[in-house]
Amino acid sequence: MTAIPTSTSVSESAVISAPLSQVWHLIKLQSFHRFWSAIKTAEYVKEPSTSPETDIVKWTFKDGTVLEVKLEEHSAIDHFITYSVIDANPAISYSSVVSTIRCYEVTTGEKEGSTFVTWSGHFSSDADAGVIEDARFKRQEALANLAATVTKK
């Protein structure tokens, strides 16, 4: 059986009716369980205080999946984080993925005062169409959860 050729990148976005400061406050690997309903717990594996150059957080999902994610880059000035999955149980079917979440303040128009959020993922070439579609669905779900969390405050 031949694999269906597919893009190995995914990008989802949302305009969230909340100020940038409220949204950005939750965009920390150790805080994802506070907004993403699929995650049961998020806890440090390596604390920044013990290893300042390496933040590793374990996400335990409600379905039993466990991912260890490593913070690759963080900018409080440009409001983005980049992270990679470094371990998974059960094992994932692809070699790697690097994801970035970016937040932008909406400064004009009818959505002024809102936050535009993008969440991209770049997978290794062995990721198939099912992996990409699953990542798309999960990002859509998480962005909807993020919007619901910050707008109910």
Side-chain angles (χ1 to χ4, degrees):
M1 183 169 155
T2 305
I4 299 170
T6 187
S7 170
T8 56
S9 294
V10 62
S11 183
E12 291 297 320
S13 61
V15 175
I16 297 177
S17 298
L20 175 64
S21 59
Q22 271 187 283
V23 175
W24 178 243
H25 180 71
L26 292 171
I27 308 300
K28 316 282 184 283
L29 295 178
Q30 70 278 10
S31 297
F32 274 43
H33 69 292
R34 293 179 52 204
F35 72 87
W36 191 359
S37 64
I39 296 181
K40 182 179 177 182
T41 61
E43 57 195 0
Y44 279 111
V45 174
K46 285 195 176 179
E47 296 251 5
S49 60
T50 61
S51 181
E53 66 282 347
T54 307
D55 288 9
I56 299 174
V57 174
K58 179 171 69 171
W59 290 343
T60 302
F61 288 80
K62 291 178 181 173
D63 70 0
T65 301
V66 177
L67 297 180
E68 285 190 9
V69 291
K70 178 183 174 193
L71 184 66
E72 301 289 353
E73 190 172 4
H74 171 271
S75 175
I77 294 171
D78 292 324
H79 301 105
F80 75 90
I81 64 168
T82 298
Y83 66 92
S84 61
V85 175
I86 60 169
D87 195 22
N89 186 9
I92 52 180
S93 63
Y94 48 90
S95 303
S96 65
V97 59
V98 175
S99 298
T100 299
I101 300 174
R102 292 183 181 271
C103 299
Y104 302 90
E105 181 178 16
V106 178
T107 59
T108 62
E110 65 182 55
K111 297 291 185 177
E112 182 177 349
S114 296
T115 305
F116 179 65
V117 181
T118 64
W119 192 341
S120 63
H122 301 283
F123 292 80
S124 52
S125 62
D126 56 346
D128 64 22
V131 167
I132 303 304
E133 284 308 302
D134 184 58
R136 181 176 318 284
F137 170 75
K138 286 177 178 167
R139 281 165 174 74
Q140 290 170 352
E141 174 190 61
L143 288 170
N145 291 166
L146 178 61
T149 299
V150 296
T151 56
K152 72 179 177 187
K153 288 186 174 186

